Amino acid sequence: MIKNQDILAAIPIQQSRTVLTDLVFPNDTNHHHTIFGGKVMAYVDKIACISAMRHCRKPVVTASSDSFDFLAPIKTGEAINLEAYVVCTHRTSMDVIVKVERENLLTGERQLTAKARLTMLAIGEDGKPTRVPEVIPHTEEEKQQYQEANERYRLRHH
């Protein structure tokens, strides 16, 4: 039985949208002068965490990385731009999409370099998973991502 205090107000996807930009230095790169994949993964995990916490206003942990696709390298001297937002929620989990792009700061050229989807869990004061608010998709892209996330969840859990 759901009690009134268990019902959380739904939150627009826009509220969880988080952006991060950093400059890629030589110590961030491998012998090809491109950023280490592990460094990109750490950025992705961090921004997904911030986005999820903005959505639920509770501590979170990473439950899974559902997908992580590297599409192009980011070179020394370029900026790494990340954008994350909660696209769908379930009782205690949040599906977070992260987009990564490189930016040549001298020309302004940008390119999508990675995309990832992570599942984050909200953690209550007792250290156990706790309820999260639902999301409200507004744009057509958000509505499509919301539907796709629900379909993936349904396939995984049935």
Side-chain angles (χ1 to χ4, degrees), residues 2-155:
I2 297 177
K3 302 175 194 146
N4 275 346
Q5 69 261 29
D6 289 337
I7 298 172
L8 303 171
I11 296 171
I13 285 175
Q14 188 63 31
Q15 183 172 310
S16 69
R17 196 168 298 271
T18 304
V19 295
L20 176 99
T21 299
D22 204 357
L23 190 58
V24 177
F25 288 112
N27 63 338
D28 300 321
T29 63
N30 59 31
H31 60 286
H32 299 292
H33 307 289
T34 60
I35 194 166
F36 285 114
K39 183 102 177 158
V40 175
M41 293 173 92
Y43 275 123
V44 165
D45 191 48
K46 184 183 291 188
I47 197 169
C49 178
I50 294 167
S51 178
M53 289 179 75
R54 279 186 171 162
H55 177 78
C56 69
R57 299 297 177 192
K58 296 174 183 170
V60 302
V61 295
T62 306
S64 69
S65 174
D66 298 334
S67 67
F68 205 116
D69 300 311
F70 290 99
L71 307 170
I74 304 174
K75 298 176 184 145
T76 304
E78 292 182 322
I80 180 172
N81 298 319
L82 299 98
E83 178 185 20
Y85 49 95
V86 174
V87 70
C88 187
T89 62
H90 300 285
R91 201 173 73 75
T92 61
S93 67
M94 294 157 281
D95 190 347
V96 182
I97 288 178
V98 182
K99 297 174 185 175
V100 182
E101 65 178 18
R102 68 171 190 83
E103 179 183 357
N104 181 318
L105 295 168
L106 303 178
T107 66
E109 178 197 357
R110 291 174 174 240
Q111 179 185 10
L112 184 66
T113 61
K115 52 187 180 177
R117 182 178 300 275
L118 292 87
T119 300
M120 310 300 283
L121 270 182
I123 303 298
E125 291 179 12
D126 61 358
K128 295 182 178 167
T130 188
R131 290 189 72 83
V132 298
E134 292 182 18
V135 296
I136 305 169
H138 285 295
T139 68
E140 287 308 311
E141 180 185 27
E142 288 173 352
K143 289 174 184 175
Q144 180 181 347
Q145 290 170 334
Y146 177 83
Q147 288 174 337
E148 290 169 357
N150 270 319
E151 180 62 17
R152 268 191 312 284
Y153 183 85
R154 188 187 67 73
L155 291 171

